[in-house]
Amino acid sequence: MLIPHPLLGPRDAQEFVCLGDARLIERPDPAAADAEAAFCDYVFLRDNPAGVHRELWFHEHGDRSWLVVTRDTVTHAVLGAELARDVALARVGRAP
Amino acid sequence: MTRLAGGLIDRTQTVTFTFDGTRYQGHPGDTLASALLAAGVRLMGRSFKYHRPRGVFAAGSEEPNALVELGSGARREPNSRATTVELHEGLEAHSQNRWPALSFDALAVNDLLAPFFTAGFYYKTFMWPKAFWERLYEPLIRRAAGLGRLSMQADPDAYDKGFLHCDLLVVGAGPSGLAAALTAARAGARVILAEEDFRLGGRLLAETGTLDGAPAVDWVTALEAAFADLPNLRVMRRTTVFGVFDHGVYGAVERVADHRRDPGEGVRQTLWRITARRAVLAAGATERPIAFADNDRPGIMLAGAMRAYANRWAACPVDTIAVYTNNDDGHRTAVDLLARGVQVAAVIDARAEATARGDYRVIAGGAVTGTRGRLGLSAIEVRSDRGAERIACGALGVSGGWNPNLHLASHHRGRPLWDETLQTFLPDAHGPAGLVPAGAAAGAFSTAAALSSGAAAATRALGEIGIDAAPCALPEAEAAPWRIAPVFHVPGRKRAWVDFQNEVTVKDIALAHAENMRPVEHLKRYTTLGMGTDQGKTANVTGLAVMAELTGRTIGETGTTVFRPPYTPVSLSVLGGGDTGPYFRPRRLPPTHRWAEAQGAVFVEVGQWMRAQYFPRPGETHWRQAVDREAAAVRSAVGLCDVTTLGKIDVQGADAAAFLDRLYCNTLSTLKVGRVRYGLMLREDGFAYDDGTAARFADDHYVVTTTTANAGLVYRNMEFARQCLWPELDVQIVSTTDAWAQIAVAGPKARTLLARIVDGFDLDNAAFPFMACSALTVCGGLRARLFRISFSGELAYEIAVPARYGQALMERLMARGADLGVTPYGTEALSVLRIEKGHAAGAELNGQTTAAMLGLGRMVSQKKDAIGAVMSRREGLAGDAGRLVGLRPVEDGGAVVGGAHLFAEGAARTLAGSEGWITSSCHSPHVGAAIGLGFLERGDARMGEVVVAANPLEGGSARLRVVPACFVDPEGGRLRD
Amino acid sequence: MRFSGFRIVAEALKGHTGWRPLWRDPEPQPAYDYVIVGGGGHGLATAYYLASRFGAARIAVLEKGWLGSGNVARNTTIIRSNYLLAGNEPFYEFSMKLWEGLEQDLNFNAMVSQRGIINLFHTDAQRDAFRRRGNAMMLAGAGARLLDADEVRRMAPFLNHDNARFPIRGGLMQPRAGTARHDGVAWGYARAAARLGVDLIQNCEVTGFRIDNGRLRGVETTRGSIAAGTVGVAVAGSSSRVMAQAGLRLPIESHVLQAFVTEGLKPTIPGVITFGAGHFYISQSDKGGLVFGGDIDGYNSYAQRGGLPVVEDVAEGGMALMPVIGRARLLRMWGGVVDMSMDGSPIIDRTPVDGLYLNGGWCYGGFKATPASGYAFAHLLATGEPHETARAYRLDRFARGYVIDERGAGAQPNLH
């Protein structure tokens, strides 16, 4: 399996560690009234789709970037990869 | 008749080999099977279940029958196909699965019992009496089953792994593969041509058809010469591409030295991971038989194999052969063998309209209904319009058509499609991305079609990646149309084998049908069809056809089972890559490793690290003596321990403090520069995760430590937090575990010793108190970091210097501390000291425990958020009443055993009633008794209570008193003074 | 038809003309009392125990492919009850007891073979953790032995005892553990259930649930609507996919787990052995193949096939542990999709939809659980109450903080 690293080009997936669903970027607000319920969803529940899945991969044996990889869980085709930091910054309204 | 004229063997050289101890001779270019056939040997094995005599059936890796144990001693290799074993001088082979001898096998009695041994019979019996299964039935079955024997010695040979990259991988070097490789290589693409045989050419080597009017082998030879001038083409002979993996990664095994008598110092086999932008599957096709009564006698083989042995290897074991076919191809065998002087008794063609292609008898519309011969074929029984007759022959070539080798095209679960005209399965369009089937593998069966198909496939594949490939001139070749009648088996009362190796007969398939095991997966699993070492390459389609006939469905509707790697079996040695024994995993060595070795240290594996466990001295006969001495030295004088393996992470940036506050459950932002604080991390699910220290060297600079075990994981999580959760923070982190050597200097004389190496640094308790840190220089200018932290409970420091100075620092400290009684200590003493002090380590921080259980509940700040803070408040975690306690035997000399479960005295010993367990235990030199740590329900409220530690696993239990989890200096005076 | 050696002899003498289908292929009825979704091992066992132990009738098993095509069709056939935690161990021990009487119960030889399992340890810390686990097993009546290095050497001389990177220091053995013929288990349950009147319906995929005001009314299938008041879903590997049709999100990820078998060999190793310093476990089938496996590939997948790196990793582990298998050849590898749950333990529970029940989250340990899982699920479906050994397998344990985390790995499925 090859991961198209946005900075380094195609890299063997063996260089990476997969964490799982990219929604783990979206950590809930700990101060919210329903924080415990929101964290339970965040920590434990997954869409787990058969098809397109956005997921987090860490380039552990590489440049130590966290990537958001879009991959099909049925065919394993990789549809794209971006720096997780950019995704996370966009979420808080900042430019990368 | 044995050796015929001609063939592609080197008759100028003779090779001597043995089979079952008998010496034979062959020539370079022979396989074991061809050389044995040329020597007139037809009997090469015994069948799996009935122990029937079996001979070679095929000429390639699809061979189901002729399996041998190759070699001897530690190199013995069971289940080797005689058809793919390249002959070499001194080759030694033995038949297998027979006793006492191949020609007389006592277990052949099973054949008489065959009526009882039908498909799946074992599911219906052996159930009474119950205890007999493990004691009697199963051992008997296990002894009878299996094929060859492992040597039970470690493989002595060397193996290697490598990566290759190319634009186009061509799998197979028959006509289509050669045309594809030529086309692509001429276009300048980076091409790999992989061929499982030791010679390029594929079926061209086995046929007599010409290319441009000349022998096909001439064209191949010319092409090989041309290939040598194409540096962008890598030709890999003896290389089997065994699987297609994701994103164009192909697994291949190159048999580098199997054809040599002795691999010598070199590598025997190499595992290649080939990343190919595109691939052409030109793996050819495999002939399939027609099933008829007693069709498994030695001498009966695939017609194409018989032709290959005659044409390529000049081998035919008998004078007279016959052919049974349902297609034109079978006639080629008759024509070719006749041309080489072999008698052809008859060609039995299932098609009524069949005619002869030469001077031989054709029985049109005929069928073979039976065979004769005990250890080899002597005659066949034939039925046709003109009645039944017996025809004497020593070998029978059978052709039921050809099955494309579409395995790789189906490795991503694509399902092949049935083609009624060709009477075969073809690859579907949804194979692995980038893989284009060509030639016979795609159903292009004539040589001309194969050549043009291969060239076209290469052009198409390269076009997809922007490489224009001009058509190459291809030679003129036979372009015979493919004509076949759908005949798969001859109905009859006797057994007709479909899967030779796994002994699946037409009757077995009928039984599966009768018992409603009709879906192909049930058919396969119930009868074991196609589950042998040949993976049913010659059997599966016939089996499906028989089932289709029984159910009244088409073969296409019946479908195939799932194709899975490997294409042919692959040795575990080459998959493992040769990194066995001590080389299984890298060894990480702390900076003082060599020094410790010189001290005679005993080492222990700690993850990938090798750490000094203890340093025995002359006269010490038991490890405990060394450990007790080392621990006592720390408590009374000063000890040194290399603690480099603890993870170290450098955290810098304007937001470093805010960042750490979110990672650790306690507050680190209030830490003053020059101070150290203990830090506890939770997982986001609220459980305790890892602990360590955080030292603040500047407002924007911390150095944090992790446990040895979690160093990598914590760093990964910190990067996750930095990049994914809080990317807006100004913070950078880097792991410096390997950059700094760190040595613990512990004991009441630690300050005295350190004072002798620091460069004028004030170590006075007021200037550098407990939990202070500083950058400094030592030993006359060497930059260092000093932390006044203590794992042992003594006055202690950890000093860090650049890793390359680690050993020098250790030696300097040892030299300067000799008069102080300085003593190196290892992980065992380290563990004793921390248990005495009640510090948690891996056994307590095991991922199942909470901060409160560790007695650290108050560290979880309620004033700020941090990873895990919210979830740590869930009912199940907050309500867990287990608490870390100390444990001491009530009786003098009593033991404390890690892993024992704790019970209230008098309580029933059930798992549900278990109130905790002992996590760590040791002999404490300080206490003078065994001590332990453990988790106990409401343990904090049970001080002084006597509990029972139950160890039913090893027998026995002990009464232990619950005490605080700190056995030394609970007030902490020693580490503060 | 009752199976026995006598029956085989009788049939052999009359040319095997009397064998009857192991099960019927009925048309689906418009309504059932109980519908089990998933004709794998757990679904078939559930149907069998519902009919045989709980007196239930009008039961259908709906299978989208062929019977036994769930993960019961692709696993490493190991049965054991060697768990640590009180939420798990009694359940798996209950399963082991059901295994021990299974063949007589089903009148089908599933080749349950108690040749023992040895979990090797390589450090003192591992030994203490195994001692804690072994004591839990003893306390639950499962039986266990702690072996030292010499005992392991005597019992398994073919392991690398002399120059290993991680020396073998001993092992935790469960003598009652072993293997069972996986397909035979599915067929045995299917045949026994069919004999009790259960409709086993193949090629029938559930495409939706009919739910009125939070109450389940039935299922939609590729073979029409089927009404049912009680529906139990046992489709591990696809739990998220199927339950999403009822609007539920689960604490589960689907991952690929690969397994491997070599060519047939004469007896090489007696029982099951697991490596404690690498991801590798191995046994030998009655047919002679060495059956082994390792870690999951580590990424979400429904592809039923894995990657080459894990193949190599497993082979490296195998060669490090027992270099004598080097010249055995890998014959076949396969990938199964497993429900990896957030704590590594399963779920057998009701769902927020009244009448809809879930059995899933088996990670890569579902095969050994087949009998108890079926029994406990049948108990839940028939009585509405969890079976006493499966009380911990609640869906709300994650939210409430009562996870059953044997490895202490937390909510990251690919670490379990």
Side-chain angles (χ1 to χ4, degrees):
Chain A
M1 198 177 267
L2 301 175
I3 304 289
H5 194 299
L7 304 177
L8 304 172
R11 310 295 307 178
D12 196 299
Q14 279 181 273
E15 297 172 7
F16 293 80
V17 172
C18 182
L19 175 66
D21 196 326
R23 284 161 81 163
L24 287 169
I25 290 176
E26 298 163 22
R27 190 171 185 269
D29 175 4
D34 66 343
E36 193 172 314
F39 266 88
C40 283
D41 270 22
Y42 167 75
V43 172
F44 294 119
L45 298 187
R46 300 284 186 271
D47 288 341
N48 192 23
V52 175
H53 189 228
R54 279 164 54 82
E55 57 199 18
L56 286 158
W57 291 70
F58 180 51
H59 200 196
E60 182 147 272
H61 306 288
D63 76 342
R64 292 169 263 158
S65 289
W66 277 92
L67 305 184
V68 173
V69 176
T70 305
R71 196 177 57 92
D72 189 313
T73 60
V74 176
T75 65
H76 292 172
V78 172
L79 309 170
E82 50 203 318
L83 291 175
R85 187 165 189 276
D86 292 349
V87 175
L89 281 171
R91 187 174 162 260
V92 295
R94 298 246 200 128
Chain B
M1 185 80 55
T2 49
R3 219 28 123 170
L4 311 173
L8 303 175
I9 49 174
D10 177 4
R11 290 176 197 257
T12 63
Q13 293 182 58
T14 299
V15 173
T16 304
F17 67 100
T18 65
F19 178 60
D20 276 345
T22 305
R23 288 164 64 87
Y24 296 94
Q25 291 189 328
H27 299 289
D30 262 324
T31 64
L32 175 59
S34 72
L36 284 171
L37 286 174
V41 176
R42 287 181 296 172
L43 177 65
M44 295 191 200
R46 286 279 173 169
S47 71
F48 174 64
K49 193 157 73 172
Y50 305 134
H51 289 256
R52 285 171 63 96
R54 290 283 170 83
V56 69
F57 187 69
S61 58
E62 70 272 28
E63 174 61 34
N65 284 343
L67 305 183
V68 299
E69 286 176 356
L70 204 61
S72 60
R75 290 204 165 91
R76 182 165 78 206
E77 191 153 29
N79 305 335
S80 301
R81 300 161 180 72
T83 52
T84 61
V85 173
E86 205 173 331
L87 203 64
H88 59 73
E89 180 63 34
L91 183 143
E92 179 183 348
H94 294 271
S95 58
Q96 57 183 36
N97 196 38
R98 81 287 182 272
W99 185 85
L102 185 57
S103 56
F104 178 80
D105 182 356
L107 278 169
V109 67
N110 283 0
D111 201 30
L112 301 175
L113 300 173
F116 308 103
F117 294 166
T118 52
F121 77 99
Y122 31 76
Y123 295 116
K124 300 169 180 167
T125 182
F126 303 134
M127 288 178 279
W128 186 90
K130 189 176 151 184
F132 272 33
W133 174 252
E134 280 93 348
R135 287 190 205 150
L136 178 67
Y137 302 133
E138 190 182 44
L140 283 174
I141 290 170
R142 289 172 78 85
R143 267 206 296 271
L147 296 164
R149 302 162 301 152
L150 285 177
S151 70
M152 300 310 281
Q153 297 177 53
D155 189 336
D157 290 331
Y159 297 84
D160 202 1
K161 292 185 178 184
F163 289 93
L164 291 172
H165 298 263
C166 61
D167 296 317
L168 187 73
L169 168 67
V170 180
V171 181
S176 57
L178 290 171
L182 181 68
T183 305
R186 288 258 165 87
R190 293 177 305 152
V191 183
I192 292 173
L193 174 63
E195 167 56 52
E196 71 173 344
D197 203 336
F198 52 88
R199 186 155 185 171
L200 305 187
R203 275 309 291 185
L204 293 176
L205 307 178
E207 304 290 358
T208 48
T210 58
L211 294 180
D212 281 341
V217 70
D218 293 355
W219 182 72
V220 176
T221 306
L223 210 52
E224 285 185 274
F227 283 170
D229 295 330
L230 291 167
N232 53 324
L233 170 66
R234 179 178 181 134
V235 178
M236 301 178 75
R237 296 175 182 80
R238 303 183 179 93
T239 301
T240 303
V241 178
F242 65 81
V244 188
F245 300 91
D246 285 313
H247 307 162
V249 176
Y250 294 76
V253 169
E254 181 178 7
R255 292 173 297 281
V256 180
D258 277 353
H259 57 295
R260 295 194 206 115
R261 178 173 196 170
D262 181 354
E265 294 298 300
V267 165
R268 179 182 169 232
Q269 296 181 349
T270 298
L271 176 71
W272 292 106
R273 281 78 53 103
I274 303 173
T275 302
R277 297 173 72 196
R278 289 292 182 275
V280 169
L281 176 63
T286 299
E287 200 167 18
R288 65 180 181 236
I290 300 170
F292 52 87
D294 290 332
N295 58 334
D296 66 331
R297 295 195 198 282
I300 302 177
M301 64 176 74
L302 292 166
M306 182 180 277
R307 199 156 75 236
Y309 285 117
N311 291 334
R312 177 173 171 184
W313 288 291
C316 182
V318 296
D319 299 324
T320 306
I321 63 117
V323 173
Y324 179 30
T325 185
N326 66 358
N327 62 75
D328 292 355
D329 208 49
H331 292 264
R332 286 187 177 158
T333 302
V335 171
D336 287 1
L337 270 84
L338 210 53
R340 289 178 181 277
V342 179
Q343 305 282 324
V344 176
V347 172
I348 299 95
D349 193 319
R351 299 170 298 176
E353 71 280 11
T355 54
R357 308 292 173 82
D359 184 17
Y360 56 85
R361 178 185 172 206
V362 168
I363 302 177
V368 177
T369 56
T371 67
R372 297 282 165 146
R374 197 175 72 84
L375 295 176
L377 184 71
S378 60
I380 56 173
E381 279 152 9
V382 177
R383 190 187 61 216
S384 69
D385 299 348
R386 286 163 295 170
E389 63 180 301
R390 181 177 296 182
I391 297 173
C393 59
L396 175 71
V398 185
S399 180
W402 290 76
N403 298 322
N405 289 330
L406 45 72
H407 308 68
L408 295 184
S410 303
H411 276 179
H412 289 191
R413 299 185 62 82
R415 293 299 177 107
L417 305 169
W418 180 253
D419 185 295
E420 269 300 318
T421 310
L422 297 177
Q423 285 292 309
T424 195
F425 281 102
L426 296 177
D428 80 339
H430 307 290
L435 179 74
V436 185
F445 286 150
S446 76
T447 310
L451 286 165
S452 60
S453 157
T459 304
R460 182 183 134 201
L462 293 177
E464 289 172 4
I465 52 173
I467 300 175
D468 284 332
C472 294
L474 295 173
E476 250 346 277
E478 63 84 19
W482 182 239
R483 289 192 295 250
I484 182 170
V487 175
F488 295 93
H489 73 110
V490 180
R493 288 197 0 263
K494 297 181 82 174
R495 284 174 295 169
W497 272 261
V498 174
D499 184 321
F500 289 83
Q501 188 177 115
N502 271 356
E503 309 263 35
V504 181
T505 65
V506 172
K507 279 186 185 183
D508 290 311
I509 296 171
L511 178 67
H513 176 262
E515 299 196 275
N516 198 17
M517 292 302 226
R518 295 175 192 178
V520 285
E521 287 285 354
H522 286 164
L523 169 65
K524 170 184 124 181
R525 291 155 187 268
Y526 194 56
T527 64
T528 73
L529 172 72
M531 293 171 79
T533 65
D534 56 335
Q535 298 184 338
K537 287 193 176 68
T538 61
N540 288 343
V541 173
T542 310
L544 299 176
V546 172
M547 180 56 88
E549 186 182 301
L550 290 163
T551 56
R553 297 193 300 165
T554 66
I555 296 172
E557 286 165 349
T558 302
T560 64
T561 56
V562 180
F563 289 80
R564 297 185 188 279
Y567 171 62
T568 54
V570 179
S571 83
L572 293 180
S573 276
V574 74
L575 288 173
D579 290 335
T580 58
Y583 309 108
F584 168 53
R585 289 285 183 262
R587 295 193 325 155
R588 295 179 76 183
L589 305 178
T592 63
H593 184 81
R594 283 199 194 132
W595 170 83
E597 272 183 330
Q599 308 305 306
V602 173
F603 294 93
V604 64
E605 302 77 22
V606 181
Q608 291 189 343
W609 291 99
M610 298 300 292
R611 295 189 71 181
Q613 190 173 18
Y614 54 95
F615 295 80
R617 282 192 181 163
E620 289 174 344
T621 55
H622 190 276
W623 63 269
R624 260 282 304 284
Q625 294 171 301
V627 173
D628 286 359
R629 172 181 49 74
E630 291 169 17
V634 173
R635 296 262 177 250
S636 63
V638 58
L640 301 175
C641 183
D642 188 332
V643 294
T644 303
T645 63
L646 294 173
K648 307 177 203 72
I649 300 168
D650 211 85
V651 183
Q652 300 196 33
D655 294 322
F659 179 68
L660 293 178
D661 269 356
R662 298 185 194 188
L663 282 163
Y664 288 85
C665 70
N666 53 321
T667 305
L668 294 175
S669 55
T670 55
L671 185 65
K672 291 187 171 57
V673 172
R675 300 290 295 174
V676 185
R677 188 172 287 169
Y678 176 75
L680 179 67
M681 272 185 188
L682 308 181
R683 283 190 315 238
E684 192 69 281
D685 68 354
F687 287 90
Y689 182 42
D690 199 67
D691 68 350
T693 58
R696 193 167 196 173
F697 283 91
D699 278 339
D700 59 357
H701 183 197
Y702 288 78
V703 172
V704 301
T705 65
T706 74
T707 60
T708 299
N710 282 337
L713 290 168
V714 167
Y715 179 76
R716 185 193 301 171
N717 291 347
M718 287 176 78
E719 283 289 10
F720 175 76
R722 190 180 74 86
Q723 297 176 40
C724 300
L725 299 182
W726 302 297
E728 68 278 13
L729 296 185
D730 174 11
V731 61
Q732 299 293 328
I733 61 175
V734 67
S735 168
T736 60
T737 303
D738 295 286
W740 292 90
Q742 195 146 316
I743 293 172
V745 184
K749 296 178 182 171
R751 184 182 291 126
T752 312
L753 173 56
L754 271 183
R756 296 176 182 177
I757 65 156
V758 297
D759 297 340
F761 186 81
D762 186 357
L763 287 170
D764 186 80
N765 202 30
F768 197 71
F770 179 57
M771 298 306 257
C773 67
S774 182
L776 73 168
T777 64
V778 299
C779 303
L782 175 62
R783 72 192 169 94
R785 287 171 176 170
L786 189 64
F787 309 84
R788 189 169 160 193
I789 53 180
S790 175
F791 202 42
S792 57
E794 298 299 324
L795 168 67
Y797 303 80
E798 288 185 15
I799 181 165
V801 294
R804 63 187 180 279
Y805 293 100
Q807 176 163 341
L809 177 67
M810 180 64 91
E811 286 169 346
R812 180 71 61 90
L813 287 166
M814 286 297 294
R816 303 298 296 273
D819 61 314
L820 303 174
V822 67
T823 302
Y825 64 102
T827 56
E828 283 298 324
L830 185 77
S831 178
V832 167
L833 295 164
R834 74 96 191 166
I835 294 171
E836 288 178 339
K837 191 63 185 171
H839 285 307
E844 291 80 26
L845 270 166
N846 68 352
Q848 300 167 328
T849 52
T850 64
M853 289 173 73
L854 293 162
L856 305 171
R858 283 189 305 179
M859 284 185 70
V860 184
S861 171
Q862 305 299 313
K863 294 185 200 146
K864 65 167 181 89
D865 175 47
I867 285 177
V870 171
M871 296 297 268
S872 73
R873 293 171 204 138
R874 283 179 297 158
E875 158 194 334
L877 279 72
D880 195 319
R883 291 294 181 272
L884 189 66
V885 297
L887 297 161
R888 289 186 62 168
V890 173
E891 286 84 19
D892 281 349
V896 182
V897 178
H901 286 240
L902 300 176
F903 293 89
E905 276 202 297
R909 308 274 175 84
T910 65
L911 184 54
S914 169
E915 291 198 278
W917 72 100
I918 298 174
T919 54
S920 304
S921 62
C922 68
H923 172 80
S924 166
H926 179 78
V927 176
I931 60 170
L933 301 174
F935 290 105
L936 178 67
E937 291 290 310
R938 296 170 287 101
D940 47 346
R942 293 166 76 170
M943 291 303 149
E945 184 180 325
V946 172
V947 295
V948 176
N951 182 20
L953 181 65
E954 293 162 294
S957 62
R959 298 172 71 233
L960 305 178
R961 190 172 306 283
V962 180
V963 297
C966 183
F967 298 86
V968 57
D969 186 29
E971 300 77 26
R974 293 182 181 212
L975 44 75
R976 287 190 174 81
D977 287 343
Chain C
M1 177 182 286
R2 221 184 139 65
F3 287 162
S4 69
F6 301 112
R7 170 73 69 179
I8 289 179
V9 172
E11 282 295 330
L13 296 177
K14 60 175 183 168
H16 295 286
T17 52
W19 297 112
R20 295 287 170 264
L22 294 179
W23 48 78
R24 299 161 290 119
D25 275 323
E27 285 299 311
Q29 300 294 306
Y32 291 94
D33 289 350
Y34 297 91
V35 162
I36 311 298
V37 182
H42 291 222
L44 292 167
T46 303
Y48 169 70
Y49 290 116
L50 262 178
S52 68
R53 303 294 204 279
F54 296 94
R58 292 179 17 102
I59 306 164
V61 175
L62 309 183
E63 167 53 51
K64 83 174 169 181
W66 35 279
L67 291 178
S69 61
N71 284 331
V72 74
R74 52 192 86 76
N75 58 71
T76 45
T77 81
I78 296 165
I79 61 173
R80 57 185 172 88
S81 58
N82 57 354
Y83 281 72
L84 166 68
L85 300 175
N88 275 330
E89 178 60 15
F91 173 82
Y92 287 100
E93 177 52 22
F94 175 52
S95 205
M96 184 57 78
K97 292 208 167 68
L98 290 171
W99 282 117
E100 287 172 334
L102 188 73
E103 291 147 330
Q104 289 68 31
D105 192 12
L106 300 179
N107 178 231
F108 199 86
N109 187 354
M111 297 175 220
V112 174
S113 173
Q114 295 177 288
R115 304 194 306 279
I117 186 170
I118 300 174
N119 298 118
L120 299 171
F121 58 79
H122 309 265
T123 65
D124 290 353
Q126 266 186 328
R127 181 202 57 215
D128 285 0
F130 275 177
R131 193 186 281 118
R132 180 186 170 206
R133 198 206 301 192
N135 277 320
M137 293 161 65
M138 294 297 292
L139 292 168
R145 285 180 61 196
L146 196 67
L147 309 176
D148 65 21
D150 287 339
E151 287 171 292
V152 173
R153 186 190 285 266
R154 275 198 298 279
M155 297 173 86
F158 44 82
L159 301 178
N160 183 359
H161 293 281
D162 297 318
N163 71 339
R165 171 71 179 79
F166 299 100
I168 297 166
R169 306 211 190 276
L172 178 64
M173 179 178 194
Q174 186 184 25
R176 288 165 64 232
T179 59
R181 167 84 185 116
H182 57 113
D183 287 328
V185 174
W187 300 337
Y189 275 118
R191 171 172 168 268
R195 292 169 81 193
L196 292 169
V198 173
D199 279 0
L200 307 176
I201 302 167
Q202 307 189 69
N203 302 308
C204 180
E205 181 172 1
V206 169
T207 55
F209 295 97
R210 288 214 313 275
I211 300 167
D212 287 343
N213 294 322
R215 178 79 183 86
L216 189 83
R217 301 294 175 193
V219 295
E220 303 295 340
T221 80
T222 51
R223 296 178 67 177
S225 292
I226 298 173
T230 304
V231 173
V233 175
V235 295
S238 298
S239 294
S240 297
R241 260 205 290 204
V242 172
M243 297 308 275
Q245 296 171 0
L248 300 177
R249 292 173 80 219
L250 300 178
I252 285 173
E253 290 180 4
S254 293
H255 283 257
V256 59
L257 174 67
Q258 300 191 62
F260 309 88
V261 65
T262 67
E263 298 176 338
L265 299 161
K266 291 295 178 193
T268 304
I269 58 173
V272 185
I273 293 173
T274 77
F275 192 17
H279 292 284
F280 182 76
Y281 48 92
I282 187 165
S283 65
Q284 188 172 17
S285 76
D286 284 343
K287 193 162 173 272
L290 301 175
V291 181
F292 57 97
D295 204 2
I296 56 176
D297 275 41
Y299 43 78
N300 289 46
S301 174
Y302 287 91
Q304 291 198 342
R305 58 186 173 78
L308 191 52
V310 169
V311 181
E312 295 175 42
D313 186 65
V314 170
E316 283 170 14
M319 290 301 296
L321 178 65
M322 40 189 302
V324 300
I325 62 175
R327 284 175 115 94
R329 293 192 202 87
L330 174 69
L331 174 61
R332 189 185 282 264
M333 55 212 225
W334 62 95
V337 180
V338 294
D339 272 7
M340 294 304 295
S341 73
M342 288 290 159
D343 62 357
S345 292
I347 296 155
I348 302 177
D349 200 6
R350 57 180 69 249
T351 70
V353 177
D354 195 14
L356 180 62
Y357 297 82
L358 173 66
N359 173 325
W362 290 100
C363 300
Y364 38 77
F367 178 68
K368 70 180 108 51
T370 305
S373 168
Y375 198 106
F377 203 33
H379 187 283
L380 178 67
L381 296 177
T383 69
E385 293 299 321
H387 186 260
E388 59 176 343
T389 64
R391 284 207 190 104
Y393 297 151
R394 307 301 292 265
L395 204 42
D396 69 357
R397 69 175 184 266
F398 301 96
R400 296 177 59 223
Y402 294 96
V403 292
I404 316 164
D405 187 350
E406 291 269 335
R407 290 204 182 185
Q412 193 179 330
N414 61 8
L415 296 182
H416 284 289

